[in-house]
Amino acid sequence: DIYETDDDFILSANMPGVTRENVQLKLEEGSLSIFGKVNYEELSGRKYILNENEIGNYYRKFRISNSVDESKIEARFENGQLNVRLPKHERIKPKNIEIR
């Protein structure tokens, strides 16, 4: 999911079966790449009664617009969810103009 606030763009990616150590986030040439690696042998070796998730690694690549301040990007990974905060440059944030 990607959504917007007045100050930021927020990217949220659910990655069940991925540990923090197996998540990579890379910013390169105006693109943000997300990679999450699962323990395929462990997950595929289970005797599932019901399995609603596909087993596999996660990969997505997003083009980052020039409205994002790349120097201030932050990421957190908790409970199988990666949250990335992409701060907007000051020049594109909404501004209130005082009326005199």
XYZ file of all heavy atoms in Angstrom:
827
model
N 0.848 -1.176 0.000
C 0.000 0.000 0.000
C 0.893 1.240 0.000
O 1.950 1.250 0.628
C -0.868 0.051 1.255
C -1.854 -1.110 1.341
O -2.182 -1.686 0.301
O -2.291 -1.418 2.452
N 0.438 2.256 -0.683
C 1.120 3.550 -0.656
C 0.044 4.609 -0.436
O -0.970 4.609 -1.125
C 1.874 3.843 -1.963
C 2.930 2.760 -2.223
C 2.530 5.220 -1.905
C 3.636 2.892 -3.554
N 0.268 5.455 0.548
C -0.668 6.550 0.777
C 0.107 7.816 1.092
O 1.319 7.796 1.277
C -1.690 6.200 1.872
C -1.117 5.933 3.245
C -1.022 6.956 4.185
C -0.694 4.663 3.609
C -0.512 6.719 5.445
C -0.180 4.413 4.869
C -0.100 5.438 5.786
O 0.419 5.198 7.031
N -0.637 8.928 1.138
C -0.007 10.239 1.259
C -0.584 11.002 2.440
O -1.778 10.952 2.705
C -0.281 10.993 -0.041
C 0.253 12.375 -0.110
C -0.053 13.032 -1.457
O -0.823 12.476 -2.267
O 0.480 14.124 -1.673
N 0.282 11.716 3.150
C -0.126 12.680 4.161
C 0.352 14.049 3.677
O 0.979 14.139 2.609
C 0.481 12.369 5.545
O 1.902 12.565 5.482
C 0.169 10.942 5.990
N 0.118 15.092 4.453
C 0.607 16.422 4.052
C 2.128 16.460 3.946
O 2.672 17.172 3.107
C 0.152 17.488 5.047
C -1.319 17.824 4.912
O -1.938 17.464 3.882
O -1.867 18.438 5.852
N 2.815 15.684 4.791
C 4.278 15.754 4.862
C 5.019 14.595 4.203
O 6.204 14.715 3.906
C 4.721 15.821 6.325
C 4.230 17.081 7.019
O 4.166 18.134 6.362
O 3.902 17.003 8.217
N 4.349 13.451 4.022
C 5.052 12.249 3.589
C 4.230 11.407 2.617
O 3.006 11.511 2.563
C 5.344 11.335 4.790
C 6.079 12.024 5.918
O 7.189 12.518 5.675
O 5.530 12.052 7.032
N 4.949 10.532 1.902
C 4.353 9.382 1.241
C 4.713 8.196 2.130
O 5.847 8.113 2.619
C 4.929 9.167 -0.156
C 4.655 10.300 -1.099
C 5.634 11.232 -1.375
C 3.413 10.445 -1.699
C 5.407 12.284 -2.239
C 3.165 11.499 -2.560
C 4.159 12.416 -2.832
N 3.787 7.280 2.359
C 4.041 6.119 3.210
C 3.842 4.863 2.376
O 2.811 4.692 1.725
C 3.074 6.082 4.422
C 3.099 7.398 5.195
C 3.383 4.888 5.311
C 4.408 7.722 5.875
N 4.835 3.996 2.413
C 4.765 2.707 1.731
C 4.701 1.627 2.801
O 5.521 1.618 3.718
C 6.010 2.526 0.862
C 6.087 1.273 0.019
C 6.854 1.561 -1.253
C 6.710 0.128 0.759
N 3.737 0.739 2.695
C 3.563 -0.331 3.667
C 3.505 -1.661 2.918
O 2.658 -1.831 2.036
C 2.274 -0.098 4.454
O 2.082 -1.105 5.403
N 4.408 -2.585 3.256
C 4.481 -3.875 2.563
C 4.408 -5.018 3.568
O 5.247 -5.115 4.466
C 5.782 -3.969 1.768
N 3.403 -5.878 3.420
C 3.273 -7.062 4.264
C 4.120 -8.185 3.680
O 4.001 -8.495 2.493
C 1.807 -7.504 4.341
C 0.957 -6.503 5.059
O 1.380 -5.910 6.045
N -0.247 -6.284 4.564
N 4.958 -8.792 4.522
C 5.842 -9.856 4.073
C 5.845 -11.006 5.084
O 6.809 -11.178 5.830
C 7.256 -9.315 3.852
C 7.343 -8.326 2.714
S 9.022 -7.888 2.266
C 9.332 -6.573 3.417
N 4.767 -11.795 5.135
C 4.731 -12.908 6.088
C 5.862 -13.900 5.823
O 6.179 -14.189 4.675
C 3.371 -13.562 5.844
C 2.679 -12.788 4.797
C 3.571 -11.707 4.321
N 6.449 -14.383 6.896
C 7.513 -15.376 6.781
C 8.900 -14.796 6.597
O 9.877 -15.536 6.483
N 9.024 -13.480 6.561
C 10.322 -12.819 6.372
C 10.784 -12.253 7.706
O 10.007 -11.654 8.441
C 10.219 -11.687 5.323
C 11.537 -10.944 5.185
C 9.783 -12.241 3.980
N 12.057 -12.453 8.024
C 12.639 -11.862 9.232
C 13.312 -10.545 8.865
O 13.641 -10.301 7.694
C 13.685 -12.793 9.873
O 14.754 -12.997 8.936
C 13.075 -14.138 10.260
N 13.527 -9.706 9.857
C 14.169 -8.401 9.635
C 15.518 -8.559 8.922
O 15.887 -7.756 8.073
C 14.362 -7.699 10.967
C 15.019 -6.330 10.853
C 15.338 -5.716 12.208
N 14.228 -5.810 13.121
C 13.380 -4.812 13.400
N 13.558 -3.646 12.845
N 12.399 -4.985 14.245
N 16.261 -9.597 9.278
C 17.583 -9.811 8.679
C 17.500 -10.126 7.189
O 18.482 -9.971 6.458
C 18.324 -10.959 9.391
C 18.635 -10.695 10.842
C 17.421 -10.886 11.764
O 16.517 -11.691 11.444
O 17.371 -10.198 12.798
N 16.352 -10.579 6.732
C 16.198 -10.969 5.334
C 15.411 -9.957 4.504
O 14.863 -10.290 3.463
C 15.536 -12.349 5.242
C 16.470 -13.443 5.692
O 17.670 -13.360 5.515
N 15.923 -14.472 6.297
N 15.362 -8.719 4.992
C 14.728 -7.627 4.243
C 15.821 -6.687 3.763
O 16.718 -6.323 4.523
C 13.730 -6.847 5.131
C 13.176 -5.642 4.374
C 12.607 -7.742 5.597
N 15.757 -6.321 2.496
C 16.689 -5.345 1.943
C 15.891 -4.222 1.284
O 14.897 -4.468 0.606
C 17.589 -5.977 0.884
C 18.592 -6.945 1.422
C 19.474 -7.497 0.312
O 19.186 -7.366 -0.865
N 20.564 -8.127 0.703
N 16.353 -3.021 1.488
C 15.750 -1.827 0.906
C 16.882 -1.067 0.238
O 17.883 -0.758 0.882
C 15.108 -1.008 2.024
C 14.137 0.083 1.689
C 12.953 -0.457 0.912
C 13.651 0.742 2.962
N 16.731 -0.788 -1.043
C 17.829 -0.170 -1.785
C 17.303 0.992 -2.619
O 16.310 0.866 -3.331
C 18.448 -1.223 -2.703
C 19.685 -0.810 -3.412
C 20.214 -1.996 -4.200
C 21.602 -1.756 -4.702
N 22.119 -2.923 -5.428
N 17.979 2.137 -2.505
C 17.652 3.323 -3.287
C 18.769 3.516 -4.301
O 19.930 3.676 -3.929
C 17.535 4.539 -2.366
C 17.145 5.845 -3.014
C 15.758 5.755 -3.626
C 17.189 6.968 -1.993
N 18.395 3.470 -5.571
C 19.416 3.542 -6.611
C 18.823 4.132 -7.883
O 17.790 3.663 -8.364
C 19.951 2.126 -6.879
C 21.076 2.030 -7.856
C 21.592 0.603 -7.962
O 20.798 -0.317 -8.207
O 22.801 0.421 -7.792
N 19.467 5.158 -8.404
C 19.089 5.795 -9.664
C 17.604 6.146 -9.725
O 16.921 5.869 -10.703
C 19.482 4.900 -10.837
C 20.975 4.700 -10.956
C 21.361 3.782 -12.109
O 20.472 3.420 -12.910
O 22.539 3.426 -12.196
N 17.091 6.731 -8.643
C 15.711 7.182 -8.625
C 14.673 6.098 -8.412
O 13.483 6.342 -8.580
N 15.100 4.895 -8.041
C 14.177 3.801 -7.781
C 14.424 3.218 -6.395
O 15.559 3.139 -5.938
C 14.338 2.690 -8.813
O 13.918 3.119 -10.079
N 13.339 2.793 -5.766
C 13.408 2.141 -4.461
C 13.041 0.676 -4.664
O 11.958 0.361 -5.160
C 12.421 2.795 -3.488
C 12.388 2.230 -2.077
C 13.684 2.567 -1.336
C 11.192 2.768 -1.317
N 13.960 -0.232 -4.312
C 13.728 -1.669 -4.450
C 13.559 -2.282 -3.072
O 14.298 -1.978 -2.142
C 14.913 -2.352 -5.145
O 15.080 -1.835 -6.440
N 12.571 -3.178 -2.959
C 12.299 -3.901 -1.723
C 12.443 -5.385 -2.014
O 11.872 -5.892 -2.988
C 10.867 -3.620 -1.227
C 10.688 -2.141 -0.915
C 10.543 -4.482 -0.015
C 9.243 -1.769 -0.635
N 13.218 -6.064 -1.164
C 13.394 -7.502 -1.322
C 13.254 -8.165 0.041
O 13.850 -7.725 1.012
C 14.780 -7.810 -1.909
C 15.025 -9.280 -2.110
C 14.391 -9.970 -3.123
C 15.871 -9.970 -1.266
C 14.619 -11.327 -3.300
C 16.101 -11.316 -1.424
C 15.469 -12.003 -2.443
N 12.450 -9.208 0.108
C 12.291 -9.990 1.329
C 12.462 -11.463 1.010
O 11.818 -11.980 0.099
N 13.338 -12.120 1.747
C 13.641 -13.533 1.483
C 13.032 -14.409 2.573
O 13.240 -14.168 3.757
C 15.157 -13.737 1.438
C 15.570 -15.134 1.088
C 17.077 -15.253 1.007
C 17.467 -16.687 0.707
N 18.905 -16.867 0.714
N 12.277 -15.430 2.165
C 11.690 -16.374 3.111
C 12.574 -17.606 3.208
O 13.398 -17.867 2.335
C 10.259 -16.804 2.685
C 9.325 -15.628 2.653
C 10.269 -17.540 1.365
N 12.397 -18.376 4.283
C 13.075 -19.660 4.418
C 12.221 -20.683 3.675
O 11.318 -21.298 4.237
C 13.233 -20.023 5.887
C 14.023 -21.292 6.085
O 14.078 -22.156 5.209
N 14.635 -21.419 7.243
N 12.496 -20.855 2.395
C 11.665 -21.674 1.528
C 11.588 -23.128 1.993
O 10.517 -23.728 1.994
C 12.168 -21.601 0.084
C 11.281 -22.341 -0.877
C 10.089 -21.770 -1.312
C 11.608 -23.611 -1.334
C 9.252 -22.436 -2.187
C 10.782 -24.289 -2.206
C 9.605 -23.699 -2.629
O 8.771 -24.376 -3.471
N 12.707 -23.691 2.402
C 12.714 -25.098 2.841
C 11.798 -25.315 4.036
O 11.054 -26.285 4.088
C 14.137 -25.544 3.161
C 15.006 -25.694 1.927
C 16.421 -26.157 2.266
O 16.629 -26.688 3.380
O 17.292 -25.969 1.415
N 11.859 -24.403 5.002
C 11.014 -24.534 6.191
C 9.536 -24.408 5.837
O 8.713 -25.226 6.242
C 11.374 -23.470 7.224
C 10.475 -23.488 8.449
C 10.687 -22.297 9.362
O 11.788 -21.716 9.364
O 9.732 -21.945 10.064
N 9.190 -23.400 5.056
C 7.787 -23.160 4.725
C 7.205 -24.224 3.802
O 6.058 -24.628 3.957
C 7.616 -21.774 4.105
C 7.933 -20.591 5.016
C 7.832 -19.285 4.242
C 7.008 -20.573 6.217
N 7.981 -24.694 2.849
C 7.458 -25.688 1.909
C 7.411 -27.083 2.530
O 6.685 -27.948 2.049
C 8.286 -25.705 0.625
O 9.614 -26.119 0.900
N 8.173 -27.301 3.613
C 8.201 -28.608 4.266
C 7.062 -28.833 5.255
O 6.890 -29.933 5.781
N 6.267 -27.836 5.511
C 5.152 -27.966 6.459
C 4.026 -28.798 5.846
O 3.806 -28.774 4.645
C 4.601 -26.590 6.834
C 5.567 -25.752 7.600
C 4.957 -24.400 7.901
N 5.876 -23.561 8.650
C 5.671 -22.289 8.898
N 4.575 -21.691 8.463
N 6.553 -21.600 9.580
N 3.289 -29.492 6.710
C 2.113 -30.245 6.269
C 0.885 -29.361 6.502
O 0.274 -29.399 7.564
C 1.993 -31.563 7.029
C 3.109 -32.515 6.717
C 2.927 -33.831 7.430
C 4.099 -34.748 7.094
N 3.955 -36.043 7.715
N 0.577 -28.562 5.509
C -0.506 -27.594 5.629
C -1.877 -28.272 5.597
O -2.114 -29.177 4.806
C -0.449 -26.575 4.485
C 0.697 -25.604 4.596
C 1.886 -25.808 3.904
C 0.587 -24.482 5.399
C 2.932 -24.914 4.010
C 1.632 -23.579 5.508
C 2.799 -23.799 4.811
O 3.829 -22.915 4.913
N -2.761 -27.839 6.445
C -4.169 -28.197 6.388
C -4.886 -27.153 5.538
O -5.747 -27.459 4.732
C -4.780 -28.281 7.807
C -4.098 -29.411 8.564
C -6.286 -28.456 7.734
C -4.415 -29.451 10.040
N -4.478 -25.906 5.716
C -4.986 -24.795 4.920
C -3.842 -23.810 4.743
O -3.186 -23.439 5.703
C -6.158 -24.101 5.635
C -6.693 -22.823 4.994
C -7.320 -23.127 3.636
C -7.696 -22.149 5.897
N -3.586 -23.406 3.517
C -2.527 -22.442 3.237
C -3.084 -21.376 2.308
O -3.356 -21.640 1.148
C -1.319 -23.115 2.604
C -0.180 -22.142 2.369
O -0.212 -21.017 2.824
N 0.828 -22.577 1.648
N -3.267 -20.167 2.828
C -3.818 -19.077 2.031
C -2.749 -18.136 1.506
O -3.062 -17.178 0.824
C -4.848 -18.301 2.850
C -6.066 -19.139 3.174
C -7.155 -18.359 3.884
O -6.877 -17.249 4.382
O -8.279 -18.877 3.939
N -1.485 -18.384 1.830
C -0.386 -17.543 1.352
C 0.469 -18.323 0.366
O 0.753 -19.491 0.576
C 0.509 -17.095 2.513
C -0.220 -16.208 3.488
O -0.849 -15.242 3.088
N -0.146 -16.537 4.760
N 0.879 -17.627 -0.695
C 1.831 -18.241 -1.605
C 3.202 -18.240 -0.939
O 3.542 -17.315 -0.208
C 1.907 -17.461 -2.913
C 0.674 -17.607 -3.767
C 0.850 -16.965 -5.120
O 1.975 -17.018 -5.669
O -0.135 -16.424 -5.616
N 3.985 -19.265 -1.204
C 5.325 -19.343 -0.640
C 6.304 -18.796 -1.675
O 6.364 -19.277 -2.806
C 5.696 -20.799 -0.275
C 4.730 -21.319 0.784
C 7.142 -20.885 0.210
C 4.898 -22.795 1.076
N 7.035 -17.779 -1.274
C 8.015 -17.210 -2.188
C 8.588 -15.926 -1.639
O 8.088 -15.369 -0.666
N 9.653 -15.490 -2.268
C 10.296 -14.247 -1.883
C 9.471 -13.059 -2.366
O 8.593 -13.198 -3.215
C 11.709 -14.189 -2.469
C 12.590 -15.269 -1.896
O 12.476 -15.624 -0.737
N 13.482 -15.808 -2.709
N 9.773 -11.898 -1.828
C 9.059 -10.671 -2.158
C 10.002 -9.713 -2.870
O 11.141 -9.540 -2.450
C 8.528 -9.996 -0.887
C 7.587 -10.873 -0.104
C 8.065 -11.753 0.856
C 6.213 -10.834 -0.345
C 7.207 -12.573 1.566
C 5.351 -11.643 0.366
C 5.850 -12.508 1.321
O 5.003 -13.318 2.019
N 9.507 -9.095 -3.932
C 10.311 -8.098 -4.643
C 9.373 -7.081 -5.286
O 8.415 -7.451 -5.955
C 11.173 -8.745 -5.719
C 11.941 -7.722 -6.528
C 13.101 -7.144 -6.016
C 11.504 -7.323 -7.779
C 13.799 -6.191 -6.739
C 12.194 -6.372 -8.510
C 13.338 -5.814 -7.984
O 14.023 -4.867 -8.699
N 9.653 -5.825 -5.055
C 8.944 -4.729 -5.719
C 9.941 -3.610 -5.968
O 10.848 -3.393 -5.175
C 7.813 -4.177 -4.852
C 6.613 -5.074 -4.676
C 5.847 -5.360 -5.963
N 5.328 -4.182 -6.622
C 4.108 -3.714 -6.494
N 3.247 -4.318 -5.714
N 3.733 -2.634 -7.147
N 9.719 -2.901 -7.063
C 10.567 -1.768 -7.402
C 9.657 -0.598 -7.742
O 8.719 -0.746 -8.524
C 11.466 -2.113 -8.583
C 12.504 -1.065 -8.897
C 13.457 -1.570 -9.965
C 14.587 -0.599 -10.191
N 15.575 -1.130 -11.141
N 9.941 0.549 -7.111
C 9.127 1.751 -7.289
C 10.000 2.889 -7.778
O 11.115 3.073 -7.297
C 8.493 2.176 -5.956
C 7.621 1.127 -5.347
C 8.136 0.217 -4.440
C 6.276 1.047 -5.672
C 7.333 -0.751 -3.869
C 5.464 0.091 -5.106
C 5.996 -0.813 -4.206
N 9.482 3.650 -8.692
C 10.153 4.864 -9.148
C 9.862 5.953 -8.118
O 8.714 6.154 -7.720
C 9.573 5.246 -10.512
C 10.390 6.189 -11.253
C 11.410 5.427 -12.114
N 12.211 6.428 -12.772
C 13.509 6.542 -12.617
N 14.166 5.695 -11.909
N 14.164 7.502 -13.204
N 10.887 6.649 -7.661
C 10.743 7.718 -6.679
C 10.747 9.053 -7.421
O 11.672 9.351 -8.167
C 11.904 7.684 -5.647
C 11.959 6.353 -4.917
C 11.796 8.844 -4.669
C 10.755 6.070 -4.061
N 9.711 9.847 -7.206
C 9.639 11.135 -7.899
C 10.592 12.135 -7.242
O 11.053 11.938 -6.118
C 8.209 11.678 -7.883
O 7.898 12.212 -6.624
N 10.841 13.216 -7.931
C 11.742 14.239 -7.381
C 11.074 15.056 -6.284
O 11.677 15.950 -5.724
C 12.282 15.142 -8.484
C 11.185 15.860 -9.235
O 10.007 15.729 -8.916
N 11.573 16.605 -10.259
N 9.826 14.748 -5.946
C 9.153 15.422 -4.835
C 9.517 14.804 -3.485
O 9.156 15.330 -2.443
C 7.640 15.392 -5.035
O 7.170 14.067 -5.099
N 10.263 13.681 -3.505
C 10.689 13.002 -2.273
C 12.093 13.458 -1.898
O 12.989 13.513 -2.747
C 10.664 11.465 -2.459
C 11.296 10.756 -1.271
C 9.249 10.969 -2.674
N 12.279 13.774 -0.626
C 13.603 14.118 -0.105
C 14.324 12.815 0.236
O 14.149 12.256 1.314
C 13.462 15.005 1.131
C 14.791 15.548 1.612
O 15.853 15.033 1.182
O 14.779 16.484 2.428
N 15.102 12.301 -0.697
C 15.755 10.997 -0.560
C 16.683 10.911 0.646
O 16.893 9.837 1.198
C 16.531 10.647 -1.834
C 15.643 10.435 -3.037
C 16.420 10.080 -4.286
O 17.672 9.979 -4.221
O 15.776 9.913 -5.335
N 17.224 12.026 1.094
C 18.164 12.018 2.216
C 17.466 11.759 3.553
O 18.129 11.493 4.551
C 18.937 13.333 2.280
O 18.054 14.397 2.612
N 16.137 11.824 3.579
C 15.409 11.671 4.841
C 14.495 10.442 4.875
O 13.651 10.312 5.758
C 14.578 12.929 5.114
C 15.444 14.156 5.326
C 14.603 15.369 5.608
C 15.496 16.587 5.819
N 14.705 17.800 6.010
N 14.660 9.516 3.939
C 13.825 8.306 3.911
C 14.136 7.456 5.138
O 15.295 7.268 5.500
C 14.066 7.504 2.620
C 13.588 8.299 1.415
C 13.370 6.152 2.680
C 13.906 7.666 0.075
N 13.076 6.943 5.784
C 13.220 6.079 6.968
C 12.423 4.808 6.751
O 11.375 4.826 6.097
C 12.676 6.781 8.210
C 13.415 8.041 8.593
C 12.759 8.744 9.773
O 11.683 8.302 10.240
O 13.334 9.742 10.238
N 12.905 3.692 7.341
C 12.197 2.414 7.220
C 12.197 1.678 8.549
O 13.160 1.757 9.313
C 12.861 1.555 6.146
N 11.074 0.981 8.814
C 10.946 0.130 10.002
C 10.324 -1.187 9.573
O 9.474 -1.220 8.681
C 10.027 0.766 11.037
C 10.614 1.935 11.750
C 9.742 2.439 12.850
N 8.326 2.076 12.632
C 7.365 2.298 13.500
N 7.621 2.872 14.627
N 6.127 1.961 13.231
N 10.747 -2.272 10.241
C 10.175 -3.590 9.973
C 9.741 -4.204 11.289
O 10.558 -4.409 12.179
C 11.221 -4.494 9.287
C 10.650 -5.796 8.826
C 9.898 -5.878 7.665
C 10.862 -6.954 9.559
C 9.376 -7.086 7.245
C 10.343 -8.165 9.141
C 9.596 -8.232 7.978
N 8.433 -4.446 11.428
C 7.887 -5.030 12.645
C 6.773 -5.996 12.285
O 5.915 -5.678 11.444
C 7.315 -3.950 13.565
C 8.351 -3.006 14.127
C 7.723 -1.930 14.991
O 6.676 -1.379 14.608
O 8.304 -1.650 16.058
N 6.779 -7.163 12.925
C 5.699 -8.144 12.774
C 5.381 -8.461 11.321
O 4.217 -8.567 10.925
C 4.433 -7.670 13.492
C 4.649 -7.475 14.968
O 5.367 -8.258 15.605
N 4.054 -6.454 15.530
N 6.415 -8.616 10.497
C 6.209 -8.988 9.100
C 5.743 -7.868 8.195
O 5.350 -8.102 7.065
N 5.805 -6.630 8.673
C 5.382 -5.500 7.864
C 6.500 -4.462 7.772
O 7.035 -4.019 8.782
C 4.125 -4.854 8.434
C 3.579 -3.752 7.539
C 2.272 -3.205 8.052
O 2.216 -2.714 9.175
N 1.231 -3.304 7.245
N 6.833 -4.086 6.546
C 7.820 -3.043 6.286
C 7.072 -1.739 6.057
O 6.147 -1.674 5.251
C 8.640 -3.389 5.041
C 9.646 -2.334 4.582
C 10.768 -2.182 5.601
C 10.206 -2.696 3.213
N 7.452 -0.691 6.806
C 6.879 0.642 6.639
C 7.996 1.607 6.273
O 8.988 1.713 6.996
C 6.170 1.108 7.917
C 4.917 0.307 8.164
O 4.003 0.321 7.355
N 4.877 -0.410 9.267
N 7.826 2.281 5.150
C 8.840 3.211 4.655
C 8.207 4.597 4.583
O 7.146 4.778 3.977
C 9.359 2.800 3.263
C 10.456 3.756 2.794
C 9.861 1.362 3.277
N 8.857 5.561 5.229
C 8.407 6.955 5.192
C 9.257 7.707 4.182
O 10.485 7.742 4.273
C 8.543 7.601 6.577
C 7.938 8.997 6.649
C 8.006 9.562 8.066
N 9.350 9.997 8.411
C 9.883 11.165 8.051
N 9.204 12.011 7.322
N 11.102 11.487 8.425
N 8.588 8.261 3.182
C 9.248 9.003 2.117
C 8.844 10.478 2.265
O 7.791 10.896 1.775
C 8.810 8.464 0.748
C 9.047 6.957 0.558
C 8.068 6.367 -0.406
C 10.468 6.717 0.121
N 9.666 11.272 2.960
C 9.311 12.672 3.227
C 9.258 13.510 1.947
O 10.094 13.361 1.065
C 10.422 13.171 4.142
C 11.172 11.969 4.579
C 10.944 10.913 3.549
N 8.285 14.380 1.890
C 8.169 15.295 0.759
C 9.159 16.448 0.933
O 9.445 16.860 2.053
C 6.761 15.878 0.695
C 5.694 14.856 0.396
C 4.324 15.508 0.408
C 3.233 14.503 0.155
N 1.898 15.133 0.211
N 9.661 16.949 -0.188
C 10.468 18.166 -0.146
C 9.590 19.311 0.336
O 8.385 19.344 0.067
C 11.005 18.517 -1.536
C 12.273 17.812 -1.881
N 13.469 18.083 -1.271
C 12.527 16.836 -2.791
C 14.414 17.312 -1.787
N 13.866 16.540 -2.703
N 10.183 20.234 1.040
C 9.448 21.396 1.557
C 8.727 22.152 0.442
O 7.639 22.662 0.633
C 10.391 22.344 2.301
C 10.915 21.808 3.621
C 9.815 21.559 4.641
O 8.863 22.368 4.721
O 9.895 20.540 5.345
N 9.319 22.192 -0.741
C 8.764 22.984 -1.831
C 7.424 22.462 -2.347
O 6.689 23.190 -3.002
C 9.760 23.090 -2.981
C 10.145 21.768 -3.594
C 11.198 21.992 -4.701
N 12.014 20.857 -4.960
C 11.607 19.731 -5.542
N 10.376 19.597 -5.909
N 12.436 18.732 -5.751
N 7.072 21.192 -2.052
C 5.794 20.679 -2.550
C 4.741 20.515 -1.455
O 3.602 20.175 -1.740
C 5.965 19.345 -3.297
C 6.348 18.220 -2.346
C 6.936 19.469 -4.438
C 5.895 16.876 -2.845
N 5.130 20.748 -0.201
C 4.170 20.618 0.891
C 3.142 21.741 0.827
O 3.476 22.868 0.446
C 4.888 20.666 2.251
C 5.712 19.449 2.542
C 6.324 19.579 3.928
C 7.266 18.439 4.215
N 7.873 18.586 5.541
N 1.910 21.437 1.205
C 0.902 22.508 1.234
C 1.310 23.602 2.233
O 1.856 23.308 3.286
C -0.361 21.804 1.723
C -0.090 20.354 1.690
C 1.384 20.172 1.631
N 1.038 24.840 1.858
C 1.374 25.956 2.742
C 0.134 26.818 2.932
O -0.613 27.076 2.001
C 2.485 26.804 2.120
C 3.800 26.090 2.044
C 4.865 26.993 1.452
C 6.205 26.340 1.475
N 6.497 25.474 0.391
N -0.051 27.251 4.165
C -1.124 28.194 4.446
C -0.580 29.613 4.218
O 0.513 29.943 4.673
C -1.606 28.071 5.897
C -2.361 26.777 6.112
O -3.100 26.341 5.242
N -2.190 26.162 7.269
N -1.369 30.389 3.565
C -0.966 31.759 3.271
C -1.811 32.689 4.137
O -3.036 32.605 4.142
C -1.161 32.087 1.778
C -0.276 31.141 0.950
C -0.839 33.548 1.499
C -0.529 31.198 -0.526
N -1.098 33.533 4.860
C -1.793 34.463 5.758
C -2.505 35.532 4.941
O -1.947 36.125 4.023
C -0.772 35.109 6.695
C -1.385 36.052 7.675
C -0.340 36.688 8.579
O 0.766 36.122 8.713
O -0.655 37.759 9.115
N -3.741 35.770 5.322
C -4.526 36.812 4.666
C -4.505 38.057 5.543
O -4.797 37.987 6.727
C -5.983 36.351 4.452
C -5.987 35.082 3.601
C -6.827 37.466 3.841
C -7.326 34.429 3.477
N -4.149 39.189 4.973
C -4.047 40.434 5.727
C -5.217 41.339 5.454
O -5.837 41.354 4.466
C -2.753 41.146 5.392
C -1.575 40.333 5.791
C -0.340 41.079 5.397
N 0.799 40.167 5.599
C 2.005 40.589 5.787
N 2.267 41.860 5.795
N 2.970 39.741 5.946
